[in-house]
Amino acid sequence: MCVRWEEKARRKEPYSFDMFLWLRKCLSVNSSLAPSFLEVLHVVYDWQRLGIFTGSRVSEYAQAKVPKGQRFNVVPQSTEAGRWAGFPIAFMRCDFTFYDAAQTMVPHSNLFDAHSHKLVNFVEICFRFDKSSTNFSCRKYSCTKHDIFCPVDAAVSILHRADILGVPDSEPVGVVISKSRSVSHGFRFLRDTDITKVMRQACVGAHAPDHYLRQRINCIVPHSNRVTAAVCLQQGGAHNDEIAFQLRWHPTSVPIYLRHCFKAVGTVLQKVVSGVLLAH
C-alpha cells in the first residue's frame, strides 16, 4: 500500500552507519568537495556524532529562524529561565564538563592536550533550556574510543574549534569558519540548513539511488539524530520509557517516530550508542 504523502512528509528517518563512514572518508582523504563545504561538513559531522548520544534538538546546537537583528536565538525572559534569560539557547562552553578516569574534572584550558594523551574519559552535558519540562537536566557520557562514535571526542573537537575561532564564552559553540565580508567575527553560527544539506549529501554519497533512505531523502532532517538514537536504543532492548528518559522526549512521542522508520542503522552504530546510553 502506498504511503500517503502527508504521512510520509511528517516522517523523520534515521542516519545509517554508512552515512557516517562517508563523512569520515571525506575528512580523511583528498576530497573533490569544495573546501568551504568541507569546513561545514566537519562541523556537522561533529555535532551529529555527538547528537546520536544526546538526542539533541537542533535548537540546542544550531540556529533556525533567528529573529531579525539577532545573531542567535536566546532563552526567553521568564521566571523559569532564571539567570540564563537572554543567554543562548544553544550550547555554550559552560554546558560541557569533562572528567578523567578518576572522575577528576579536566579544565577546559587543558582539555585538548589531555584528550590528545587519552586522559579524558567522560563528558557531562547540561541541557539548560528545553521546550519540555526538563530544563537544566544533565547527562554524562563515557568515552568509547571508537574512531567515529565517541561523544567525548566529538565534544572536545567542538570546543577546540570554538577556541581556535575565538568564540566568546557567552556565545554558542556551534560555529563554522566564515570569510564573508558581512561577518566580522571570522565565524558564523551553524544553521539547520547546513545540517540538512550535509546529511542529505552523505545519504547520496553512501547509498545507491534505489536504497530505502535515498528514496526518502527528504526525510533526512536535523531531527534525524534523535530518531537514530531512539532506533539504536530500541534495538538495544530499551523500552519506550527508557528511550524517552535518555533522549528527554515525552513517552508518547517514541512510538510515533519509531513505528515506520528505517531500522537497519548498522550493528556497530546500534551497539555503540545503546551501550553508552543504557549503561547509565
Side-chain angles (χ1 to χ4, degrees):
M1 182 180 295
C2 294
V3 178
R4 291 175 54 199
W5 182 88
E6 294 87 352
E7 180 185 354
K8 187 174 179 180
R10 290 196 299 268
R11 287 189 182 180
K12 276 74 172 180
E13 295 292 352
Y15 302 141
S16 68
F17 175 66
D18 288 336
M19 288 170 63
F20 282 99
L21 282 181
W22 183 86
L23 292 171
R24 178 62 181 268
K25 181 180 179 181
C26 288
L27 295 171
S28 60
V29 300
N30 293 327
S31 175
S32 60
L33 298 173
S36 58
F37 182 70
L38 279 174
E39 291 173 357
V40 177
L41 185 150
H42 201 165
V43 177
V44 172
Y45 170 73
D46 280 340
W47 281 107
Q48 297 314 289
R49 64 194 182 111
L50 178 61
I52 59 173
F53 293 96
T54 65
S56 289
R57 296 177 176 87
V58 67
S59 61
E60 291 174 338
Y61 61 95
Q63 308 301 316
K65 298 180 180 178
V66 179
K68 188 176 181 179
Q70 291 184 197
R71 295 172 55 231
F72 48 81
N73 289 301
V74 299
V75 178
Q77 297 286 340
S78 66
T79 303
E80 293 79 8
R83 71 185 184 91
W84 295 111
F87 279 84
I89 291 177
F91 293 124
M92 300 184 294
R93 283 186 183 82
C94 62
D95 297 319
F96 295 85
T97 306
F98 298 86
Y99 298 90
D100 63 15
Q103 303 290 342
T104 301
M105 189 183 301
V106 179
H108 284 193
S109 59
N110 189 46
L111 179 61
F112 185 71
D113 182 63
H115 180 61
S116 66
H117 288 88
K118 305 185 185 304
L119 299 178
V120 184
N121 293 75
F122 304 95
V123 58
E124 184 177 65
I125 302 177
C126 177
F127 302 87
R128 286 177 292 105
F129 185 78
D130 197 308
K131 70 177 184 180
S132 70
S133 59
T134 56
N135 288 347
F136 307 107
S137 61
C138 294
R139 296 288 188 275
K140 196 173 185 180
Y141 308 94
S142 59
C143 178
T144 66
K145 299 182 181 179
H146 190 278
D147 289 345
I148 298 175
F149 306 116
C150 179
V152 172
D153 185 66
V156 171
S157 181
I158 286 165
L159 293 196
H160 185 55
R161 179 181 298 108
D163 289 342
I164 291 174
L165 296 179
V167 178
D169 289 341
S170 59
E171 295 188 357
V173 290
V175 292
V176 179
I177 295 174
S178 178
K179 298 178 181 178
S180 172
R181 293 182 180 180
S182 63
V183 177
S184 60
H185 308 277
F187 63 85
R188 65 174 178 83
F189 297 106
L190 184 67
R191 299 299 301 262
D192 57 342
T193 51
D194 295 322
I195 300 158
T196 300
K197 181 178 181 180
V198 168
M199 297 312 294
R200 289 182 183 176
Q201 183 64 53
C203 183
V204 171
H207 300 295
D210 58 352
H211 189 273
Y212 180 96
L213 289 179
R214 282 287 298 275
Q215 294 292 309
R216 293 161 178 78
I217 196 167
N218 288 338
C219 298
I220 299 294
V221 294
H223 208 78
S224 292
N225 66 350
R226 291 169 66 76
V227 180
T228 307
V231 169
C232 290
L233 285 167
Q234 183 189 56
Q235 293 185 345
H239 300 295
N240 285 355
D241 286 345
E242 292 177 291
I243 296 173
F245 172 78
Q246 290 293 346
L247 304 182
R248 299 165 294 114
W249 284 9
H250 191 281
T252 58
S253 298
V254 178
I256 293 174
Y257 282 113
L258 294 180
R259 187 172 293 128
H260 299 296
C261 74
F262 182 69
K263 299 295 176 64
V265 295
T267 303
V268 173
L269 176 55
Q270 178 265 309
K271 286 186 175 181
V272 174
V273 173
S274 62
V276 168
L277 296 182
L278 294 178
H280 295 167

